[in-house]
Amino acid sequence: MKVVACLGNPGSEYSTTRHNVGWWLADRLVDDWGLGRFRRDANVAVAIGRYQGVEVQVRKPLTYMNRSGQALTPLRRVSAFDIACDLLLVVDEVALEPGRARLRAAGSAGGHNGLKSVEAALGTREYPRLRIGVGAKPPGADLANWVLSSPPREDRKLILDLLPELVECVGIWVTDGIEAAMNRCNREKSV
């Protein structure tokens, strides 16, 4: 089983914000892969199905960004689930411009509170992560206000236009693993 955990915040007031670009990708994955509807299971919305013969789950933690790890803790108890190979985290990234993304096999939280929560809950930094660019905050702006605001139309278009490529990248990760996905996807012009 492969799990794609896309971080964001529940509630319609957050649906168009920079912090929820992971959920934008989650919705696109579920639609493109025909996984059906998200169902609530405790503190996570999950869509389950198969992609290219592999069992997949697309998850949206419902715990708010800063407590995302709580929704992923149960994965530690799933037998034969290898966090380093079978889990992909998707988050927003202020260090990348809109229309850009970066896929890595592991790494630090880089100041991202959602990733900090996941690392604390899982007890490791050794899991793949896909960071979707939302652009840097303007000088003097508050970071929390920045990520909890909606991007302007042109930035939103850049992010939405990137989603088909990201669906392909996640698909490569599911079928061929992180190295193949990084080799293919990190060479792309916009990824």
Side-chain angles (χ1 to χ4, degrees):
M1 173 180 68
K2 298 289 188 180
V3 173
V4 183
C6 302
L7 305 191
N9 287 314
S12 60
E13 67 271 29
Y14 298 110
S15 64
T16 64
T17 67
R18 291 173 176 89
H19 239 359
N20 273 43
V21 297
W23 282 26
W24 301 0
L25 179 59
D27 292 340
R28 183 69 186 251
L29 287 166
V30 168
D31 287 345
D32 286 6
W33 293 355
L35 300 182
R37 297 173 54 135
F38 283 98
R39 295 183 331 272
R40 187 179 182 123
D41 181 12
N43 56 6
V44 66
V46 62
I48 300 171
R50 298 189 83 69
Y51 174 75
Q52 300 290 321
V54 178
E55 182 183 349
V56 295
Q57 292 186 8
V58 178
R59 293 175 165 239
K60 294 182 193 179
L62 301 174
T63 52
Y64 292 94
M65 182 65 76
N66 295 350
R67 296 189 306 269
S68 296
Q70 294 173 8
L72 300 178
T73 302
L75 294 174
R76 293 178 71 176
R77 296 187 295 272
V78 176
S79 63
F81 186 81
D82 183 348
I83 290 169
C85 296
D86 299 329
L87 175 65
L88 174 65
L89 261 286
V90 180
V91 297
D92 59 290
E93 177 56 66
V94 296
L96 293 171
E97 291 303 312
R100 310 257 323 153
R102 184 173 53 231
L103 181 62
R104 295 288 184 258
S108 73
H112 195 287
N113 289 331
L115 289 178
K116 287 179 186 177
S117 174
V118 169
E119 288 173 12
L122 299 181
T124 183
R125 293 178 171 183
E126 301 299 315
Y127 55 83
R129 71 268 328 264
L130 175 61
R131 296 176 183 257
I132 302 172
V134 296
K137 69 177 183 66
D142 178 73
L143 181 59
N145 289 338
W146 176 252
V147 295
L148 293 175
S149 66
S150 298
R153 184 181 315 161
E154 57 274 10
D155 288 356
R156 180 177 172 83
K157 181 177 180 346
L158 289 169
I159 296 165
L160 292 174
D161 287 350
L162 181 63
L163 294 183
E165 272 184 58
L166 298 182
V167 168
E168 180 184 351
C169 290
V170 175
I172 293 169
W173 171 78
V174 167
T175 59
D176 299 321
I178 188 63
E179 292 298 326
M182 288 190 311
N183 286 340
R184 169 68 174 87
C185 299
N186 287 340
R187 290 186 196 165
E188 295 292 328
K189 180 182 176 201
S190 57
V191 176

